[in-house]
């Protein structure tokens, strides 16, 4: 057995996790190899020190405080989700308004270009829309029909 192969299995060997056959082959190698014996000594002392390390007990309120912090963090992320939801809901009307403004602006520009070239048409168009409160209602108009209905 070569040193490299033995060293890879030393940890399992020390923990007694190897089969009897493999363990005896490693023990055989160790008896004749000083290099691997040093490795075993090093690992053994390392394991001993690790076992000596004292387990630290958390303070009595550790779990309570940890739970509180987790809840707090969850609430914070929840409120972030809510803010994002509100922003999403605002974004749709904002986009619609922006589209409307752009549409009106383009429409206005086209309208001006169209009517500035034909002032007579513009006057005719506005005159037909113009209605003075003191003028008689035009024939066949809704205003005339209404006054006839009410006052006649
Ligand atoms: Zn060796």
């Amino acid at each position: 057995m070569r040193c490299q192969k033995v060293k890879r299995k030393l940890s399992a060997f020390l923990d007694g996790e190897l089969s009897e056959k493999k363990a005896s082959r490693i023990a055989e190698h160790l008896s004749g190899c000083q290099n691997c014996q040093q490795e075993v000594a090093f690992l053994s002392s390392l394991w001993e020190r690790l076992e000596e390390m004292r387990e630290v007990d958390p303070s009595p309120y550790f779990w309570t405080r940890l739970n509180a912090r987790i809840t707090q963090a969850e609430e914070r992320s929840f409120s972030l989700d809510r803010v994002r939801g509100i922003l999403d809901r605002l974004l749709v009307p904002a986009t619609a308004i922006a589209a409307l403004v752009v549409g009106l602006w383009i429409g206005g520009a086209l309208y001006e270009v169209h009517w500035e070239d034909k002032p007579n048409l513009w006057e005719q168009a506005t005159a037909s829309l113009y209605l003075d409160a003191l003028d008689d209602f035009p024939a066949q108009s809704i205003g005339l029909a209404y006054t006839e209905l009410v006052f006649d």
Side-chain angles (χ1 to χ4, degrees):
M1 224 177 182
R2 300 179 101 187
C3 290
Q4 207 179 350
K5 201 172 177 186
V6 171
K7 282 179 183 173
R8 257 187 276 139
K9 293 186 175 172
L10 276 183
S11 178
F13 174 76
L14 290 171
D15 287 342
E17 291 168 354
L18 293 179
S19 67
E20 240 176 83
K21 194 179 168 188
K22 281 181 185 172
S24 68
R25 284 175 69 188
I26 285 174
E28 193 184 316
H29 176 90
L30 284 173
S31 65
C33 179
Q34 210 166 354
N35 192 7
C36 286
Q37 282 174 18
Q38 282 176 355
E39 189 78 15
V40 167
F42 171 74
L43 279 176
S44 300
S45 70
L46 190 68
W47 281 181
E48 274 171 30
R49 282 193 207 155
L50 283 173
E51 278 168 16
E52 282 169 12
M53 283 180 134
R54 199 169 54 92
E55 258 187 52
V56 179
D57 288 326
S59 75
Y61 300 110
F62 174 78
W63 292 111
T64 314
R65 277 186 284 177
L66 183 67
N67 276 332
R69 281 219 179 155
I70 289 169
T71 309
Q72 224 173 25
E74 282 172 351
E75 279 169 3
R76 209 174 300 143
S77 72
F78 174 69
S79 63
L80 274 177
D81 282 347
R82 280 184 59 185
V83 168
R84 201 177 305 141
I86 290 165
L87 282 177
D88 282 349
R89 262 177 273 147
L90 287 176
L91 199 63
V92 173
T95 309
I97 289 168
L100 184 68
V101 167
V102 169
L104 286 173
W105 181 74
I106 290 171
L110 289 174
Y111 184 78
E112 274 180 32
V113 167
H114 183 72
W115 289 111
E116 275 173 0
D117 294 346
K118 298 160 187 165
N120 284 340
L121 275 176
W122 170 248
E123 278 168 25
Q124 284 173 20
T126 50
S128 70
L129 294 171
Y130 182 72
L131 193 64
D132 193 303
L134 299 172
D135 282 354
D136 287 334
F137 289 111
Q140 309 290 317
S141 73
I142 294 173
L144 183 66
Y146 177 77
T147 51
E148 280 174 359
L149 206 86
V150 174
F151 299 110
D152 289 350

